């Protein structure tokens, strides 16, 4: 189930609880936005981009990451401020990168690409070639 469908389900459940139709209390429950973020970021993975390259994943594999049904967006949480964009693997070969970099502020999640289909292959492309560490979720 994609994130938009999950969000709609959470929203409907929230409306039913809020309207008293389910007869339960919503005290202590996560907000709709928190529930969506938890399902996406709960599957986050660590990354380390080596110095001397702009791409993650990079040497020696040069593999691509792949989006999942957990997130509708490609997100990054860097340990230091970094400008980053996403490059997508094209079905016919080659890749296409976003035109503009986005600033990922240290310690905060940043959606670098939005509304991305499940199983899309991609790489992060950093403006700087210094080492970068953090987390990603897609």
């Amino acid at each position: 189930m994609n994130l938009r469908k999950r969000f709609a389900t959470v929203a409907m459940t929230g409306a039913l609880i809020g309207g008293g139709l389910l007869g339960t209390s919503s005290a202590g429950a996560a907000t709709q936005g928190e529930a969506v973020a938890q399902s996406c970021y709960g599957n986050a993975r660590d990354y380390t981009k080596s110095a001397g390259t702009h791409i993650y994943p990079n040497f020696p594999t040069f593999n691509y990451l792949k989006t999942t049904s957990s997130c509708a967006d490609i997100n990054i949480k860097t340990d230091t401020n970094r400008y980053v964009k996403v490059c997508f693997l094209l079905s016919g070969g080659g890749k296409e990168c976003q035109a503009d970099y986005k600033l990922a502020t240290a310690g905060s999640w940043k959606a670098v690409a939005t509304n991305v289909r499940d199983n899309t292959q991609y790489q992060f492309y950093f403006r700087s070639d210094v080492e970068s560490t953090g987390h990603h979720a897609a």
Side-chain angles (χ1 to χ4, degrees):
M1 180 182 338
N2 70 34
L3 188 60
R4 289 175 285 287
K5 290 179 186 172
R6 285 188 196 163
F7 184 76
T9 301
V10 170
M12 180 56 89
T13 302
L16 292 173
I17 290 171
L21 297 177
L22 294 181
T24 60
S25 172
S26 62
T31 66
Q32 294 169 11
E34 288 171 343
V36 170
Q38 287 172 357
S39 67
C40 177
Y41 301 148
N43 294 323
R45 295 181 179 250
D46 295 342
Y47 81 87
T48 299
K49 181 190 73 69
S50 302
T53 184
H54 294 272
I55 300 169
Y56 177 82
N58 51 9
F59 184 79
T61 63
F62 293 104
N63 289 327
Y64 285 82
L65 303 168
K66 189 182 285 189
T67 60
T68 68
S69 60
S70 297
C71 303
D73 305 329
I74 296 174
N75 305 279
I76 195 165
K77 183 178 179 182
T78 55
D79 291 336
T80 55
N81 292 352
R82 293 282 178 250
Y83 284 94
V84 62
K85 61 184 173 180
V86 172
C87 295
F88 299 96
L89 178 65
L90 302 175
S91 59
K95 66 182 172 182
E96 182 176 309
C97 298
Q98 295 173 312
D100 298 319
Y101 290 96
K102 294 191 177 164
L103 175 61
T105 305
S108 298
W109 283 104
K110 178 67 174 181
V112 184
T114 57
N115 297 318
V116 182
R117 291 183 180 168
D118 294 350
N119 299 312
T120 299
Q121 294 185 37
Y122 69 96
Q123 294 174 318
F124 288 107
Y125 193 96
F126 293 81
R127 189 168 75 177
S128 171
D129 70 349
V130 299
E131 180 181 78
S132 180
T133 59
H135 312 281
H136 64 90

